[in-house]
Amino acid sequence: MKLRNTIAVLAITLASLTVASAQEALPSWNQGPAKQAIIDFVTKTTTAGSTDFVPPEERIATFDQDGTLWVEHPIYTQVMFCFERVPDLVKAKPELAKVAPFSTVLELLHGDRAAMEKLNMDDLMKILAATSSGMSVETFQSEAKNWLAGAKNPRWKKPYTELTYQPMQEVLNYLRANGFKTYIVTGGGQDFVRVYAGNIYGIPPEQVVGTAGETKYGYDKNGRPFLTKEPKLLLNDNFAGKPEGIHLMIGRRPVAAFGNSTGDQQMLEYTKGGGGARLAMLVLHDDATREFAYGPAQGLPDTKIGTFTQALYDEAQKGGWTVISMKNDWKQIFAFETP
């Protein structure tokens, strides 16, 4: 009887230590269902003997980036990078100065903020293709790195790479500390995100799955082989493209997935479609004071960027996905804030 009681006490003590370490690992989260969902999921999937135990090799967690790991409003960071490359493109091809959407971008860069409303997703894809191809992969990486080193977000006057969400950084670290492998699965450009993902998220380039263009193999004048970025789409890693990209690049169904918009729905569906314990979470931007508020779910303002519809919110409720309220669940949003 004494041995049984001792074992029971030890079990309770270990469980308490696990919860305590989890609370310490997620200090920027308020107590509530969202934080508890993360802790409960990690506890049951990593505890040996648990019916929901997940072997280390199967502990795959995927994260959308824009709006999930860092700020995406008023426009995606990569789009700003491409916008600022348009003047050089027009200088090389002056005829583009009067051709939309390039002429629209020039209006925007000259201070006409209303020009943003003229641009749709097809326009953005044209701009991305024109400004991110026709060069070697190494040249693109170098130019993206140089731009990120000097570019600053107009609202916070800080580098874009400092506008990552501290609570999500803590989730990344907490999962990795418990044997999970973390991947970025983004509609953004794969080559662009791979430039900085290692430094700011601790995620190496081979664990970044994104929208990818074709490349062409060739040789320079010295016979050195290199790849040229082509203006042809290879993978649109958004909506259904996300689970397709996961299968292509990772080869395992995730057990945890995090997103924030309609473009992430299929990734969360795919994750929840597997057996055993699964975690699906969506970030709802409902804090206009500390960040931004947009939906249109729950009566929030509508938006073209990071759209979170009421239908997606209802699907989350029906499917057992956890909706993270930025306003209520996060004590602080950025590392540079005072909590």
Side-chain angles (χ1 to χ4, degrees):
M1 182 65 72
K2 285 185 178 180
L3 178 60
R4 187 180 300 171
N5 289 339
T6 301
I7 292 173
V9 170
L10 284 173
I12 292 170
T13 302
L14 286 172
S16 298
L17 288 172
T18 300
V19 172
S21 63
Q23 305 292 1
E24 292 168 5
L26 302 172
S28 297
W29 290 75
N30 289 317
Q31 296 298 335
K35 180 176 182 177
Q36 198 59 48
I38 298 168
I39 294 170
D40 289 347
F41 171 77
V42 170
T43 300
K44 63 188 177 184
T45 55
T46 61
T47 301
S50 165
T51 56
D52 290 312
F53 179 77
V54 175
E57 66 273 14
E58 295 178 15
R59 295 177 195 170
I60 303 297
T62 57
F63 292 77
D64 168 60
Q65 186 198 218
D66 296 301
T68 301
L69 293 178
W70 74 354
V71 172
E72 65 182 350
H73 266 224
I75 194 69
Y76 304 116
T77 301
Q78 184 178 357
V79 172
M80 277 307 305
F81 166 65
C82 293
F83 280 178
E84 294 186 13
R85 293 168 67 82
V86 168
D88 287 339
L89 182 66
V90 170
K91 187 176 181 180
K93 299 179 179 179
E95 66 275 12
L96 295 179
K98 296 182 179 180
V99 177
F102 305 101
S103 58
T104 308
V105 173
L106 293 177
E107 292 172 17
L108 179 63
L109 293 176
H110 283 97
D112 182 3
R113 306 309 298 179
M116 183 80 75
E117 295 300 317
K118 301 178 185 178
L119 298 170
N120 56 39
M121 191 54 66
D122 286 341
D123 293 331
L124 296 183
M125 293 304 292
K126 287 179 184 177
I127 293 164
L128 264 63
T131 58
S132 303
S133 62
M135 67 198 77
S136 71
V137 170
E138 289 80 6
T139 296
F140 175 83
Q141 292 171 337
S142 176
E143 293 184 2
K145 191 177 296 184
N146 290 339
W147 182 83
L148 285 163
K152 292 186 177 182
N153 178 279
R155 174 176 171 179
W156 286 277
K157 312 299 182 187
K158 291 183 177 292
Y160 288 96
T161 50
E162 290 185 21
L163 297 179
T164 65
Y165 302 135
Q166 181 61 23
M168 297 305 290
Q169 290 276 22
E170 292 167 5
V171 172
L172 288 169
N173 291 330
Y174 178 49
L175 289 173
R176 290 194 289 256
N178 283 278
F180 284 82
K181 202 168 185 179
T182 55
Y183 290 80
I184 290 176
V185 179
T186 174
Q190 183 169 273
D191 285 343
F192 184 75
V193 179
R194 283 176 170 177
V195 168
Y196 55 80
N199 289 334
I200 71 170
Y201 301 122
I203 295 177
E206 64 270 20
Q207 289 170 221
V208 173
V209 182
T211 295
E214 292 186 12
T215 56
K216 184 178 180 180
Y217 186 78
Y219 304 90
D220 65 17
K221 61 183 180 181
N222 297 315
R224 177 178 172 269
F226 71 102
L227 293 171
T228 300
K229 290 174 64 64
E230 295 281 283
K232 299 176 183 177
L233 186 64
L234 182 65
L235 171 65
N236 183 1
D237 197 58
N238 213 5
F239 298 99
K242 289 202 171 189
E244 292 164 3
I246 288 169
H247 172 72
L248 179 68
M249 303 290 287
I250 302 174
R252 291 184 186 273
R253 189 190 296 253
V255 293
F258 300 76
N260 78 294
S261 73
T262 54
D264 302 311
Q265 179 170 344
Q266 287 86 347
M267 178 172 72
L268 270 66
E269 289 173 344
Y270 183 59
T271 299
K272 287 287 283 186
R278 302 276 158 166
L279 180 66
M281 306 191 83
L282 287 165
V283 176
L284 179 64
H285 293 257
D286 57 356
D287 196 327
T289 301
R290 295 187 298 168
E291 203 242 13
F292 296 100
Y294 52 95
Q298 300 300 92
L300 293 166
D302 204 347
T303 178
K304 293 181 181 179
I305 305 296
T307 305
F308 190 140
T309 62
Q310 186 62 42
L312 178 62
Y313 188 92
D314 294 341
E315 184 65 26
Q317 301 301 306
K318 184 174 71 174
W321 309 351
T322 301
V323 176
I324 300 164
S325 166
M326 185 175 281
K327 183 177 182 179
N328 298 321
D329 289 319
W330 291 355
K331 289 181 184 177
Q332 72 179 100
I333 293 179
F334 306 111
F336 55 78
E337 290 179 334
T338 301

